[in-house]
Amino acid sequence: MKKGFFVILFLIMAVALTACGPSESKFYFASQTPTDTSSWVYWVVIEKKGDKVVGAEWNAFNIEGDANNTYKGMDKVAASKAGIYNMNSELWWHEQADLVIEKFIDSKGDVNDQLQAPAGVSITTSEFYALAEKALASEPVEKGDYKDGYHFQTLKANAKEHAAVQYWDPIKEEVVSTGTWDSYTFGSFVVVNGRIVLAYFNNVFYGYKAVVNAAGFVTKIDHDENPETPKISLMADYTSATPKLLKTKNQLGTSYGMTGASPIKKEYDAQAYAAAAYLVEKQSFPETNTDGDFEGVAGVTITATDFFDLWKLVPAK
C-alpha cells in the first residue's frame, strides 16, 4: 500500500515538474536617443530566465547609414568583427564588449559593478551600464513576428542625383559648394523577441549648418549684389578650421529648413522620428495614399512612401 502511494506521489511530482519546465527567456531592451550630433547610437538587450541574467547584447548603429563610406550601414559589432572599426588596440571593440558583458552576467546583472573594468578593456563602459539599468527597469519585450537582430535597409538602388547646393561662408567670405550627390532614404531597425524595438529613418542630403530665420526657412542672401545671380544659403558660423559637410537630413536638423514649409511646422528629422515611434508602437504602417502620404500617423505630413517601403524590407521570422 505504501509502495503504491509513493509511486503515485512520484508521478504527480514528475507531471508537476514537466508542466513547469525550464524558465522561459524574457528580453529587456533600451537604446540611446539619436540627435543631430550623434554618431554611433547604442542599444542593449538583456536576457533573463526567472530572476537570473543569462545573456546580454551591446551594439550600436551609425546615423549616417550607407552614406558613410566606411561602415556602409553596418552595426558596430559587425564592423569590428570585419576589421573595419579599428581602435588600434590589442583587443577589437567587439572583443572588449564581450568582456564587459561577461562581467555583467557574472555579477548577476549588477549595474553598479562596473569598476574595475576587465583586463584589456579600454572602451568607455558607461553607455552599456546606463542602458542595462534602463532595460532592466522596463517591461519585457512582447513577442512579435519579425526576425531578431539588426537590420539595415536602404533605397540606394532608387537614388536620384541631386544638384549641388551653394552656401555663403561668412567667415572666409566665399561661396562653398556641396557638390552633387545621390539622394535616397535608409533605415536602421533592431528586432528583439520578434518585435521591432528600434526604428530610425534618415535621408541622404549633403549640406552645411545654415542660419535659419524665424519663419523656419534657411536664410538666403545676395552675396554678390548681382540681381542676375540667385540668392544662396547663409552658412552658420563654425568654430573649427573648416565647416563640416554633413551628409544627411537628420544631421542638418533645423538647418535643412523644412519647418517653414511644413503644414505642421516640423522639420524632416522630427517627422522621421515620429514615423519611427509609430512603427515601434504599432509594428506596422498603414498603406500610403495616392499622394504617398500616411493617413492617421500623427506628426508625419511628408511623403512617406520611403518609410513604408523600408519597413516592408524588414524580414519576418
Side-chain angles (χ1 to χ4, degrees):
M1 182 71 179
K2 288 184 178 180
K3 182 178 179 181
F5 170 77
F6 283 115
V7 169
I8 294 172
L9 180 61
F10 174 79
L11 290 172
I12 292 172
M13 292 176 64
V15 170
L17 288 172
T18 302
C20 294
S23 298
E24 182 179 359
S25 287
K26 291 186 177 181
F27 299 90
Y28 302 82
F29 174 82
S31 66
Q32 293 179 327
T33 301
T35 69
D36 61 338
T37 59
S38 295
S39 176
W40 292 101
V41 178
Y42 292 89
W43 76 84
V44 163
V45 181
I46 307 295
E47 180 185 0
K48 292 179 69 176
K49 288 189 176 182
D51 293 331
K52 185 178 180 181
V53 173
V54 297
E57 175 189 348
W58 182 20
N59 208 341
F61 72 92
N62 192 287
I63 68 167
E64 289 186 343
D66 55 354
N68 186 304
N69 293 323
T70 300
Y71 305 116
K72 299 179 180 177
M74 299 175 73
D75 61 86
K76 198 166 192 176
V77 168
S80 178
K81 288 182 176 180
I84 297 172
Y85 186 82
N86 189 353
M87 303 185 302
N88 295 315
S89 59
E90 184 175 346
L91 295 179
W92 293 86
W93 189 89
H94 70 282
E95 294 174 320
Q96 296 191 43
D98 285 344
L99 291 175
V100 174
I101 290 170
E102 183 180 343
K103 178 182 179 179
F104 177 72
I105 295 172
D106 289 345
S107 71
K108 300 179 181 179
D110 185 355
V111 296
N112 296 310
D113 182 34
Q114 50 184 296
L115 297 175
Q116 294 285 338
V121 173
S122 60
I123 59 177
T124 301
T125 62
S126 55
E127 292 100 342
F128 172 80
Y129 282 97
L131 289 172
E133 183 175 15
K134 184 179 177 182
L136 290 171
S138 65
E139 293 295 320
V141 179
E142 297 178 4
K143 289 185 178 180
D145 301 320
Y146 298 93
K147 181 180 179 180
D148 284 354
Y150 172 72
H151 307 289
F152 176 78
Q153 305 296 350
T154 179
L155 300 179
K156 189 173 184 176
N158 301 324
K160 297 179 180 179
E161 185 176 83
H162 195 289
V165 178
Q166 292 186 324
Y167 291 80
W168 175 252
D169 184 335
I171 296 177
K172 295 182 178 179
E173 297 185 340
E174 63 185 26
V175 176
V176 177
S177 176
T178 63
T180 59
W181 76 89
D182 289 336
S183 178
Y184 58 92
T185 307
F186 60 85
S188 293
F189 307 88
V190 177
V191 177
V192 175
N193 202 25
R195 188 173 180 86
I196 298 173
V197 291
L198 183 153
Y200 177 84
F201 298 107
N202 203 347
N203 183 277
V204 177
F205 191 98
Y206 280 32
Y208 295 93
K209 285 289 185 181
V211 176
V212 179
N213 60 33
F217 291 98
V218 171
T219 299
K220 305 278 188 178
I221 66 166
D222 183 6
H223 67 287
D224 58 5
E225 299 181 354
N226 183 348
E228 296 184 1
T229 57
K231 293 182 178 181
I232 62 175
S233 302
L234 176 61
M235 187 188 297
D237 288 345
Y238 51 94
T239 55
S240 61
T242 57
K244 182 179 180 180
L245 178 62
L246 302 172
K247 298 179 180 179
T248 69
K249 290 181 181 179
N250 286 356
Q251 289 174 300
L252 286 167
T254 57
S255 290
Y256 177 56
M258 195 184 79
T259 302
S262 168
I264 58 174
K265 300 302 178 185
K266 285 194 174 184
E267 195 55 69
Y268 174 91
D269 61 342
Q271 299 198 41
Y273 293 145
Y278 181 97
L279 180 57
V280 169
E281 179 184 1
K282 304 293 186 181
Q283 296 297 291
S284 65
F285 279 136
E287 292 280 352
T288 54
N289 60 26
T290 54
D291 295 324
D293 298 328
F294 281 143
E295 293 181 358
V297 181
V300 183
T301 59
I302 54 178
T303 301
T305 305
D306 286 356
F307 299 156
F308 183 90
D309 291 345
L310 288 166
W311 158 62
K312 296 296 284 185
L313 293 174
V314 179
K317 286 183 178 179

